[in-house]
Amino acid sequence: MAVDSDGRLSARELEILLLAAHGMSDADMSRRLSISPRTVAAHMRSIREKLCAKNRTHLVVTALRAGILALRTDRLDRLDETFRLTGRSGVRAQPVGVG
């Protein structure tokens, strides 16, 4: 797995982020991408670290706030296409305080 020292998400990490945003499990992503579940888990861990996210839900919210993911408005009829990548991968999200 390529880890960019400046916190940018790799193309594979962006792909996995998008699939996670659409609700796919690690096992689903593994089958779809023809990679091992351990590789998916490693990518997810790396994405969470780079975006300072605590879990999957926080990861998606953080990616939306950072502008890496956006809600699609052109495909409201397809729930599996709710999110799209924006093309931004270099935003290092700051931890969001709770409370």
Coordinates of all heavy atoms in Angstrom, one line a residue:
M1 N 0.8 -1.2 0.0 CA 0.0 0.0 0.0 C 0.9 1.2 0.0 O 1.8 1.4 0.8 CB -0.9 0.0 1.2 CG -1.6 1.2 1.5 SD -2.7 1.1 2.9 CE -1.6 0.6 4.2
A2 N 0.6 2.1 -0.9 CA 1.4 3.4 -1.0 C 0.9 4.4 0.0 O -0.3 4.7 0.0 CB 1.3 3.9 -2.4
V3 N 1.7 4.8 0.9 CA 1.4 5.8 1.9 C 2.1 7.1 1.5 O 3.3 7.2 1.5 CB 1.7 5.4 3.3 CG1 1.4 6.5 4.3 CG2 1.0 4.1 3.7
D4 N 1.3 8.1 1.2 CA 1.9 9.4 0.8 C 2.2 10.2 2.1 O 1.3 10.4 2.9 CB 0.8 10.2 0.0 CG 1.4 11.4 -0.7 OD1 2.4 11.9 -0.3 OD2 0.8 11.8 -1.7
S5 N 3.4 10.7 2.2 CA 3.8 11.3 3.5 C 3.1 12.6 3.7 O 3.0 13.1 4.9 CB 5.3 11.6 3.5 OG 5.6 12.4 2.4
D6 N 2.5 13.3 2.7 CA 1.8 14.5 3.0 C 0.3 14.3 3.2 O -0.4 15.3 3.3 CB 2.0 15.5 1.8 CG 1.4 15.0 0.5 OD1 0.8 14.0 0.4 OD2 1.6 15.8 -0.5
G7 N -0.2 13.1 3.4 CA -1.5 12.9 3.8 C -2.5 12.7 2.6 O -3.7 12.6 2.9
R8 N -2.0 12.8 1.4 CA -2.9 12.6 0.3 C -3.4 11.2 0.2 O -2.7 10.2 0.4 CB -2.2 13.0 -1.0 CG -1.9 14.4 -1.2 CD -1.2 14.7 -2.5 NE -0.8 16.0 -2.6 CZ -1.6 17.0 -3.2 NH1 -2.8 16.7 -3.6 NH2 -1.2 18.2 -3.2
L9 N -4.7 11.0 -0.2 CA -5.2 9.7 -0.4 C -4.8 9.2 -1.8 O -4.9 9.9 -2.8 CB -6.7 9.7 -0.3 CG -7.3 10.1 1.0 CD1 -8.9 10.1 0.9 CD2 -6.9 9.2 2.1
S10 N -4.4 7.9 -1.9 CA -4.0 7.3 -3.2 C -5.3 7.1 -4.0 O -6.4 7.1 -3.5 CB -3.3 6.0 -2.9 OG -4.2 5.0 -2.4
A11 N -5.1 6.8 -5.2 CA -6.3 6.4 -6.1 C -7.1 5.3 -5.6 O -8.3 5.3 -5.6 CB -5.8 6.2 -7.5
R12 N -6.4 4.2 -5.1 CA -7.1 3.1 -4.5 C -7.8 3.5 -3.2 O -8.9 3.0 -3.0 CB -6.1 2.0 -4.2 CG -6.7 0.7 -3.6 CD -7.7 0.1 -4.5 NE -7.1 -1.0 -5.2 CZ -7.7 -1.7 -6.1 NH1 -8.9 -1.5 -6.5 NH2 -7.0 -2.7 -6.8
E13 N -7.2 4.3 -2.4 CA -7.9 4.8 -1.2 C -9.1 5.6 -1.5 O -10.2 5.4 -0.8 CB -6.9 5.6 -0.3 CG -5.9 4.8 0.4 CD -4.8 5.6 1.0 OE1 -4.6 6.8 0.7 OE2 -4.1 5.0 1.9
L14 N -9.1 6.4 -2.5 CA -10.3 7.1 -2.9 C -11.4 6.2 -3.4 O -12.5 6.4 -3.1 CB -9.9 8.1 -4.1 CG -9.1 9.3 -3.6 CD1 -8.5 10.1 -4.8 CD2 -9.9 10.3 -2.7
E15 N -11.0 5.2 -4.2 CA -11.9 4.2 -4.6 C -12.6 3.5 -3.5 O -13.8 3.3 -3.4 CB -11.2 3.2 -5.5 CG -12.0 2.2 -6.2 CD -11.2 1.3 -7.1 OE1 -10.0 1.2 -7.0 OE2 -11.9 0.7 -8.0
I16 N -11.8 3.1 -2.5 CA -12.3 2.4 -1.3 C -13.2 3.4 -0.5 O -14.3 3.0 0.0 CB -11.2 1.8 -0.5 CG1 -10.7 0.6 -1.3 CG2 -11.6 1.4 0.9 CD1 -9.4 -0.1 -0.7
L17 N -12.8 4.6 -0.3 CA -13.6 5.6 0.4 C -15.0 5.7 -0.3 O -16.0 5.7 0.4 CB -12.9 7.0 0.4 CG -13.6 8.1 0.9 CD1 -14.0 7.9 2.4 CD2 -12.8 9.4 0.7
L18 N -15.0 5.8 -1.6 CA -16.3 5.9 -2.3 C -17.2 4.7 -2.0 O -18.4 4.8 -1.7 CB -16.1 6.2 -3.7 CG -17.3 6.4 -4.6 CD1 -18.1 7.7 -4.1 CD2 -16.9 6.6 -6.1
L19 N -16.6 3.5 -2.1 CA -17.4 2.3 -1.9 C -17.9 2.2 -0.4 O -19.0 1.9 -0.2 CB -16.5 1.1 -2.2 CG -16.2 0.9 -3.7 CD1 -15.2 -0.3 -3.9 CD2 -17.4 0.8 -4.6
A20 N -17.0 2.7 0.5 CA -17.4 2.7 1.9 C -18.6 3.7 2.1 O -19.5 3.4 2.9 CB -16.2 3.0 2.8
A21 N -18.5 4.8 1.5 CA -19.6 5.8 1.6 C -20.9 5.3 1.1 O -22.0 5.6 1.6 CB -19.2 7.1 0.8
H22 N -20.8 4.4 0.1 CA -22.0 3.7 -0.4 C -22.5 2.5 0.4 O -23.4 1.8 0.0 CB -21.9 3.4 -1.9 CG -21.9 4.6 -2.7 ND1 -20.8 5.1 -3.4 CD2 -23.0 5.4 -3.1 CE1 -21.2 6.2 -4.0 NE2 -22.5 6.4 -3.9
G23 N -21.8 2.3 1.5 CA -22.3 1.3 2.5 C -21.7 -0.1 2.2 O -22.2 -1.1 2.9
M24 N -20.7 -0.3 1.4 CA -20.1 -1.6 1.2 C -19.3 -2.0 2.4 O -18.5 -1.2 2.9 CB -19.3 -1.6 -0.1 CG -20.1 -1.4 -1.4 SD -19.1 -1.7 -2.8 CE -19.2 -3.4 -3.0
S25 N -19.3 -3.3 2.7 CA -18.5 -3.8 3.8 C -17.1 -4.1 3.2 O -16.9 -4.1 2.0 CB -19.1 -5.1 4.3 OG -19.0 -6.1 3.2
D26 N -16.2 -4.4 4.1 CA -14.8 -4.8 3.6 C -14.9 -6.0 2.7 O -14.2 -6.1 1.7 CB -13.9 -5.1 4.8 CG -13.5 -3.8 5.6 OD1 -13.9 -2.7 5.2 OD2 -12.7 -3.9 6.5
A27 N -15.7 -7.0 3.1 CA -15.9 -8.2 2.3 C -16.4 -7.9 0.9 O -15.9 -8.4 -0.1 CB -16.7 -9.2 3.0
D28 N -17.4 -7.0 0.8 CA -18.0 -6.6 -0.5 C -16.9 -5.9 -1.3 O -16.8 -6.2 -2.5 CB -19.2 -5.7 -0.3 CG -20.4 -6.3 0.4 OD1 -20.5 -7.5 0.3 OD2 -21.2 -5.5 1.0
M29 N -16.2 -5.0 -0.7 CA -15.1 -4.3 -1.5 C -14.1 -5.3 -1.9 O -13.6 -5.1 -3.0 CB -14.5 -3.2 -0.6 CG -15.4 -2.0 -0.4 SD -14.6 -0.7 0.4 CE -15.1 -0.9 2.1
S30 N -13.7 -6.2 -1.1 CA -12.7 -7.2 -1.4 C -13.1 -8.0 -2.7 O -12.3 -8.1 -3.6 CB -12.5 -8.2 -0.2 OG -11.7 -9.3 -0.6
R31 N -14.3 -8.4 -2.7 CA -14.8 -9.2 -3.9 C -14.9 -8.3 -5.1 O -14.5 -8.6 -6.2 CB -16.2 -9.7 -3.6 CG -16.2 -11.0 -2.7 CD -17.5 -11.7 -2.6 NE -18.5 -10.8 -1.9 CZ -18.6 -10.8 -0.6 NH1 -17.8 -11.5 0.2 NH2 -19.6 -10.1 0.0
R32 N -15.4 -7.1 -5.0 CA -15.6 -6.1 -6.1 C -14.2 -5.7 -6.7 O -14.1 -5.6 -7.9 CB -16.3 -4.9 -5.7 CG -16.6 -4.0 -6.8 CD -17.6 -3.0 -6.4 NE -18.0 -2.2 -7.6 CZ -19.1 -1.5 -7.6 NH1 -19.9 -1.4 -6.5 NH2 -19.4 -0.8 -8.6
L33 N -13.2 -5.5 -5.8 CA -11.9 -5.0 -6.3 C -10.9 -6.1 -6.5 O -9.8 -5.9 -6.9 CB -11.4 -4.0 -5.3 CG -12.2 -2.8 -5.1 CD1 -11.6 -1.9 -3.9 CD2 -12.4 -2.0 -6.3
S34 N -11.3 -7.4 -6.2 CA -10.4 -8.5 -6.3 C -9.1 -8.4 -5.6 O -8.0 -8.6 -6.0 CB -10.1 -8.8 -7.8 OG -11.3 -9.1 -8.5
I35 N -9.3 -7.9 -4.3 CA -8.2 -7.8 -3.4 C -8.6 -8.5 -2.1 O -9.8 -8.7 -1.8 CB -7.7 -6.3 -3.1 CG1 -8.9 -5.5 -2.6 CG2 -7.1 -5.7 -4.4 CD1 -8.5 -4.1 -2.2
S36 N -7.6 -8.8 -1.2 CA -8.0 -9.5 0.0 C -8.7 -8.6 1.0 O -8.5 -7.4 1.0 CB -6.7 -10.1 0.7 OG -6.0 -9.1 1.3
P37 N -9.5 -9.2 1.9 CA -10.1 -8.4 2.9 C -9.1 -7.7 3.8 O -9.4 -6.5 4.3 CB -10.9 -9.4 3.7 CG -11.2 -10.5 2.8 CD -10.0 -10.6 1.9
R38 N -8.0 -8.3 4.1 CA -6.9 -7.6 4.9 C -6.4 -6.4 4.2 O -6.1 -5.4 4.8 CB -5.8 -8.6 5.2 CG -6.2 -9.7 6.2 CD -5.1 -10.6 6.5 NE -4.0 -9.9 7.2 CZ -2.9 -10.4 7.5 NH1 -2.6 -11.7 7.3 NH2 -2.0 -9.7 8.1
T39 N -6.3 -6.4 2.9 CA -5.8 -5.3 2.1 C -6.8 -4.1 2.2 O -6.5 -3.0 2.4 CB -5.5 -5.6 0.6 OG1 -4.5 -6.7 0.6 CG2 -5.1 -4.4 -0.2
V40 N -8.1 -4.5 2.1 CA -9.2 -3.5 2.2 C -9.1 -2.9 3.6 O -9.2 -1.6 3.8 CB -10.6 -4.1 2.0 CG1 -11.7 -3.1 2.3 CG2 -10.7 -4.6 0.6
A41 N -9.0 -3.7 4.7 CA -8.9 -3.2 6.0 C -7.7 -2.3 6.2 O -7.8 -1.3 6.9 CB -8.8 -4.4 7.0
A42 N -6.6 -2.6 5.6 CA -5.4 -1.8 5.7 C -5.6 -0.4 5.0 O -5.2 0.6 5.6 CB -4.2 -2.5 5.1
H43 N -6.3 -0.4 3.9 CA -6.6 0.8 3.2 C -7.5 1.6 4.1 O -7.4 2.9 4.2 CB -7.2 0.6 1.8 CG -6.2 0.2 0.8 ND1 -5.2 1.0 0.4 CD2 -6.1 -0.9 0.0 CE1 -4.5 0.4 -0.5 NE2 -5.1 -0.7 -0.8
M44 N -8.6 1.0 4.6 CA -9.5 1.7 5.5 C -8.8 2.3 6.7 O -9.1 3.5 7.0 CB -10.6 0.8 5.9 CG -11.6 0.4 4.9 SD -12.6 1.8 4.3 CE -13.5 2.2 5.7
R45 N -7.9 1.6 7.3 CA -7.2 2.1 8.4 C -6.3 3.3 8.0 O -6.3 4.4 8.7 CB -6.3 1.0 9.0 CG -5.5 1.4 10.3 CD -4.8 0.2 10.9 NE -4.1 -0.7 10.0 CZ -4.5 -1.9 9.5 NH1 -5.7 -2.3 10.0 NH2 -3.8 -2.6 8.7
S46 N -5.7 3.2 6.9 CA -4.9 4.3 6.4 C -5.7 5.6 6.1 O -5.3 6.7 6.4 CB -4.1 3.9 5.1 OG -3.4 5.0 4.6
I47 N -6.9 5.4 5.5 CA -7.8 6.5 5.2 C -8.2 7.1 6.5 O -8.2 8.4 6.6 CB -9.0 6.0 4.4 CG1 -8.6 5.4 3.0 CG2 -10.0 7.1 4.2 CD1 -9.6 4.6 2.3
R48 N -8.6 6.3 7.5 CA -9.1 6.9 8.7 C -8.0 7.7 9.4 O -8.2 8.8 9.9 CB -9.5 5.8 9.7 CG -11.0 5.3 9.4 CD -11.5 4.5 10.6 NE -10.6 3.4 11.0 CZ -10.5 2.2 10.5 NH1 -11.3 1.9 9.5 NH2 -9.6 1.3 11.0
E49 N -6.7 7.2 9.3 CA -5.6 7.9 9.9 C -5.4 9.2 9.2 O -5.2 10.3 9.8 CB -4.3 7.1 9.9 CG -4.4 5.9 10.9 CD -3.2 5.0 10.7 OE1 -2.3 5.2 9.9 OE2 -3.2 3.9 11.5
K50 N -5.4 9.2 7.9 CA -5.1 10.4 7.1 C -6.2 11.5 7.3 O -5.9 12.7 7.3 CB -5.0 10.1 5.6 CG -3.7 9.3 5.3 CD -3.7 9.0 3.8 CE -2.4 8.2 3.5 NZ -2.4 7.9 2.0
L51 N -7.4 11.0 7.5 CA -8.5 12.0 7.7 C -8.9 12.2 9.2 O -9.9 12.9 9.5 CB -9.8 11.5 6.9 CG -9.6 11.5 5.4 CD1 -10.9 11.1 4.7 CD2 -9.1 12.8 4.9
C52 N -8.1 11.6 10.1 CA -8.4 11.7 11.5 C -9.8 11.3 11.9 O -10.5 12.0 12.6 CB -8.1 13.1 12.0 SG -6.4 13.7 11.6
A53 N -10.2 10.2 11.3 CA -11.6 9.8 11.5 C -11.6 8.6 12.5 O -10.7 7.8 12.5 CB -12.3 9.3 10.2
K54 N -12.7 8.6 13.3 CA -12.8 7.5 14.4 C -13.4 6.2 13.9 O -13.1 5.2 14.4 CB -13.6 8.1 15.5 CG -13.0 9.3 16.2 CD -13.9 9.9 17.2 CE -13.3 11.2 17.8 NZ -14.2 11.8 18.7
N55 N -14.3 6.3 12.9 CA -15.0 5.1 12.4 C -15.5 5.4 11.0 O -15.2 6.5 10.5 CB -16.1 4.7 13.3 CG -17.1 5.9 13.6 OD1 -17.5 6.6 12.7 ND2 -17.4 6.1 14.9
R56 N -16.2 4.5 10.4 CA -16.7 4.7 9.0 C -17.6 5.9 8.9 O -17.5 6.6 7.9 CB -17.4 3.4 8.5 CG -16.5 2.3 8.1 CD -17.4 1.2 7.6 NE -16.5 0.0 7.4 CZ -16.2 -0.5 6.2 NH1 -16.7 0.0 5.1 NH2 -15.4 -1.5 6.1
T57 N -18.5 6.0 9.8 CA -19.4 7.1 9.7 C -18.7 8.5 9.8 O -18.9 9.4 8.9 CB -20.5 7.1 10.8 OG1 -21.2 5.8 10.7 CG2 -21.5 8.2 10.7
H58 N -17.8 8.6 10.7 CA -17.0 9.8 10.9 C -16.1 10.0 9.7 O -15.9 11.1 9.2 CB -16.2 9.7 12.2 CG -15.5 10.9 12.6 ND1 -14.2 11.0 13.1 CD2 -15.9 12.2 12.6 CE1 -13.9 12.2 13.3 NE2 -14.9 13.0 13.1
L59 N -15.7 8.9 9.1 CA -14.8 9.0 7.9 C -15.6 9.7 6.7 O -15.1 10.6 6.1 CB -14.4 7.6 7.4 CG -13.6 7.5 6.2 CD1 -12.2 8.1 6.4 CD2 -13.4 6.0 5.8
V60 N -16.8 9.2 6.5 CA -17.6 9.8 5.4 C -18.0 11.2 5.7 O -17.8 12.1 4.8 CB -18.9 9.0 5.2 CG1 -19.9 9.6 4.2 CG2 -18.6 7.5 4.7
V61 N -18.3 11.6 6.9 CA -18.6 13.0 7.3 C -17.4 13.8 7.1 O -17.5 14.9 6.5 CB -19.2 13.0 8.7 CG1 -19.3 14.5 9.2 CG2 -20.5 12.4 8.8
T62 N -16.3 13.3 7.5 CA -15.0 14.1 7.4 C -14.7 14.3 5.9 O -14.2 15.4 5.5 CB -13.9 13.4 8.2 OG1 -14.3 13.2 9.5 CG2 -12.6 14.1 8.1
A63 N -14.8 13.3 5.1 CA -14.5 13.4 3.7 C -15.5 14.4 3.0 O -15.0 15.1 2.1 CB -14.6 12.0 3.0
L64 N -16.7 14.4 3.4 CA -17.7 15.4 2.9 C -17.2 16.8 3.3 O -17.2 17.7 2.5 CB -19.1 15.1 3.4 CG -19.8 14.0 2.7 CD1 -21.0 13.6 3.5 CD2 -20.2 14.3 1.3
R65 N -16.9 17.0 4.6 CA -16.5 18.3 5.1 C -15.2 18.8 4.4 O -15.0 20.0 4.2 CB -16.3 18.3 6.6 CG -17.6 18.3 7.3 CD -17.4 18.3 8.8 NE -18.6 18.4 9.5 CZ -18.8 18.0 10.8 NH1 -17.8 17.6 11.5 NH2 -20.0 18.1 11.3
A66 N -14.3 17.8 4.1 CA -13.0 18.2 3.5 C -13.1 18.4 2.0 O -12.2 18.9 1.4 CB -12.0 17.1 3.8
G67 N -14.3 18.1 1.4 CA -14.5 18.3 0.0 C -14.0 17.2 -0.8 O -13.9 17.3 -2.1
I68 N -13.6 16.0 -0.2 CA -13.1 14.9 -1.0 C -14.3 14.1 -1.6 O -14.3 13.6 -2.7 CB -12.3 13.9 -0.1 CG1 -11.1 14.7 0.4 CG2 -11.9 12.7 -0.8 CD1 -10.4 14.0 1.6
L69 N -15.4 14.1 -0.9 CA -16.7 13.5 -1.3 C -17.7 14.6 -1.4 O -17.7 15.5 -0.7 CB -17.2 12.4 -0.4 CG -16.5 11.1 -0.3 CD1 -17.2 10.2 0.8 CD2 -16.6 10.3 -1.6
A70 N -18.6 14.4 -2.3 CA -19.8 15.3 -2.5 C -21.0 14.5 -2.7 O -21.0 13.3 -3.2 CB -19.6 16.3 -3.6
L71 N -22.2 15.0 -2.3 CA -23.4 14.4 -2.6 C -23.8 14.6 -4.1 O -23.6 15.7 -4.6 CB -24.6 14.9 -1.7 CG -24.5 14.6 -0.3 CD1 -25.5 15.4 0.5 CD2 -24.7 13.1 0.0
R72 N -24.2 13.6 -4.7 CA -24.7 13.7 -6.1 C -26.1 14.3 -6.1 O -26.9 13.9 -5.4 CB -24.7 12.3 -6.8 CG -23.3 11.8 -7.0 CD -23.4 10.5 -7.8 NE -23.7 11.0 -9.2 CZ -23.0 10.6 -10.3 NH1 -22.0 9.7 -10.1 NH2 -23.3 11.0 -11.4
T73 N -26.3 15.2 -7.0 CA -27.7 15.7 -7.2 C -28.3 15.3 -8.5 O -29.4 15.5 -8.8 CB -27.6 17.2 -7.1 OG1 -26.8 17.8 -8.1 CG2 -27.2 17.7 -5.7
D74 N -27.5 14.7 -9.4 CA -27.9 14.3 -10.7 C -28.5 12.9 -10.8 O -29.0 12.5 -11.8 CB -26.8 14.5 -11.7 CG -25.6 13.6 -11.4 OD1 -25.4 13.3 -10.2 OD2 -24.8 13.3 -12.3
R75 N -28.3 12.1 -9.7 CA -28.8 10.7 -9.7 C -29.6 10.3 -8.5 O -29.3 9.4 -7.8 CB -27.6 9.7 -9.8 CG -26.8 9.7 -11.1 CD -27.7 9.4 -12.4 NE -28.5 8.2 -12.2 CZ -28.2 7.1 -12.8 NH1 -27.2 6.9 -13.5 NH2 -29.1 6.1 -12.7
L76 N -30.6 11.1 -8.2 CA -31.4 10.9 -7.0 C -32.1 9.6 -7.0 O -32.6 9.1 -6.0 CB -32.3 12.1 -6.8 CG -31.6 13.4 -6.6 CD1 -32.7 14.5 -6.4 CD2 -30.7 13.4 -5.3
D77 N -32.3 9.0 -8.2 CA -33.0 7.7 -8.3 C -32.2 6.5 -7.9 O -32.7 5.4 -7.8 CB -33.6 7.6 -9.7 CG -32.5 7.6 -10.8 OD1 -31.5 8.4 -10.6 OD2 -32.6 6.9 -11.8
R78 N -30.8 6.7 -7.8 CA -29.9 5.6 -7.5 C -29.2 5.8 -6.2 O -28.3 6.6 -6.1 CB -28.9 5.5 -8.6 CG -29.3 5.2 -10.0 CD -29.6 3.7 -10.3 NE -28.6 2.8 -9.8 CZ -27.6 2.3 -10.5 NH1 -27.5 2.6 -11.8 NH2 -26.7 1.5 -10.0
L79 N -29.7 5.1 -5.2 CA -29.1 5.2 -3.8 C -27.6 4.7 -3.8 O -26.8 5.2 -3.0 CB -29.9 4.4 -2.8 CG -31.3 5.0 -2.5 CD1 -32.0 4.0 -1.5 CD2 -31.2 6.4 -1.9
D80 N -27.3 3.8 -4.7 CA -25.9 3.3 -4.8 C -25.0 4.3 -5.4 O -23.8 4.1 -5.5 CB -25.8 1.9 -5.4 CG -26.3 2.0 -6.9 OD1 -27.1 2.8 -7.2 OD2 -25.8 1.1 -7.7
E81 N -25.5 5.4 -5.9 CA -24.7 6.5 -6.5 C -24.9 7.8 -5.8 O -24.9 8.9 -6.4 CB -25.0 6.6 -8.0 CG -24.6 5.4 -8.8 CD -24.9 5.5 -10.2 OE1 -25.2 6.6 -10.7 OE2 -24.8 4.5 -10.9
T82 N -25.1 7.8 -4.5 CA -25.4 8.9 -3.7 C -24.2 9.9 -3.6 O -24.4 11.1 -3.6 CB -25.8 8.6 -2.3 OG1 -27.0 7.7 -2.3 CG2 -26.2 9.8 -1.4
F83 N -23.0 9.3 -3.6 CA -21.8 10.1 -3.4 C -21.0 10.1 -4.7 O -21.1 9.2 -5.5 CB -21.0 9.6 -2.2 CG -21.7 9.7 -0.9 CD1 -22.3 8.6 -0.4 CD2 -21.7 10.9 -0.2 CE1 -22.9 8.6 0.8 CE2 -22.3 10.9 1.0 CZ -22.9 9.8 1.5
R84 N -20.1 11.1 -4.8 CA -19.2 11.1 -5.9 C -17.9 11.7 -5.4 O -17.9 12.4 -4.4 CB -19.7 11.9 -7.1 CG -19.8 13.4 -6.8 CD -20.2 14.2 -8.0 NE -20.4 15.6 -7.7 CZ -19.5 16.5 -7.5 NH1 -18.2 16.2 -7.6 NH2 -19.8 17.8 -7.1
L85 N -16.8 11.3 -6.0 CA -15.5 11.9 -5.6 C -15.4 13.3 -6.3 O -15.9 13.5 -7.4 CB -14.3 11.1 -6.1 CG -14.2 9.7 -5.4 CD1 -13.2 8.8 -6.2 CD2 -13.8 9.9 -4.0
T86 N -14.8 14.2 -5.6 CA -14.6 15.6 -6.1 C -13.4 15.8 -6.9 O -13.2 16.8 -7.6 CB -14.7 16.6 -5.0 OG1 -13.6 16.4 -4.1 CG2 -16.0 16.5 -4.2
G87 N -12.4 14.9 -6.7 CA -11.1 15.2 -7.4 C -10.1 15.7 -6.4 O -8.9 15.8 -6.7
R88 N -10.5 16.1 -5.2 CA -9.6 16.6 -4.2 C -9.2 15.4 -3.3 O -10.0 14.7 -2.8 CB -10.3 17.6 -3.3 CG -10.7 18.9 -4.0 CD -11.4 19.8 -3.2 NE -10.5 20.3 -2.1 CZ -11.0 21.1 -1.1 NH1 -12.2 21.5 -1.0 NH2 -10.1 21.4 -0.1
S89 N -7.9 15.2 -3.2 CA -7.4 14.2 -2.3 C -6.4 14.6 -1.3 O -6.0 13.9 -0.5 CB -6.8 13.0 -3.2 OG -5.7 13.5 -3.8
G90 N -6.0 15.9 -1.4 CA -4.9 16.3 -0.6 C -5.2 17.1 0.6 O -4.4 17.7 1.2
V91 N -6.5 17.2 0.9 CA -6.9 17.9 2.1 C -6.7 17.1 3.3 O -7.3 16.0 3.5 CB -8.4 18.3 2.0 CG1 -8.9 19.1 3.2 CG2 -8.6 19.2 0.7
R92 N -5.9 17.6 4.3 CA -5.8 16.9 5.5 C -6.8 17.5 6.5 O -6.7 18.6 6.8 CB -4.4 17.0 6.1 CG -4.3 16.3 7.4 CD -2.9 16.3 7.9 NE -2.1 15.1 7.6 CZ -2.3 13.9 8.1 NH1 -3.4 13.7 8.8 NH2 -1.5 12.9 7.7
A93 N -7.8 16.7 6.8 CA -8.9 17.1 7.7 C -8.3 17.3 9.1 O -7.5 16.6 9.6 CB -10.0 16.1 7.7
Q94 N -8.9 18.4 9.7 CA -8.5 18.6 11.1 C -9.5 17.9 12.0 O -10.7 17.8 11.7 CB -8.6 20.1 11.4 CG -7.6 20.9 10.6 CD -6.2 20.5 10.9 OE1 -5.8 20.3 12.0 NE2 -5.4 20.4 9.9
P95 N -9.1 17.4 13.1 CA -10.1 16.7 14.0 C -11.2 17.6 14.4 O -11.0 18.8 14.6 CB -9.2 16.3 15.3 CG -7.8 16.4 14.8 CD -7.8 17.4 13.7
V96 N -12.4 17.1 14.5 CA -13.6 17.9 14.8 C -13.9 17.6 16.2 O -14.1 16.5 16.6 CB -14.8 17.5 13.9 CG1 -16.0 18.3 14.2 CG2 -14.4 17.7 12.4
G97 N -14.0 18.7 17.0 CA -14.4 18.5 18.4 C -15.8 18.2 18.6 O -16.7 18.6 17.8
V98 N -16.1 17.4 19.6 CA -17.5 17.0 19.9 C -17.8 17.6 21.2 O -17.2 17.4 22.2 CB -17.7 15.5 20.0 CG1 -19.1 15.1 20.3 CG2 -17.2 14.8 18.7
G99 N -18.9 18.5 21.2 CA -19.4 19.0 22.4 C -18.9 20.4 22.7 O -18.4 21.3 22.6

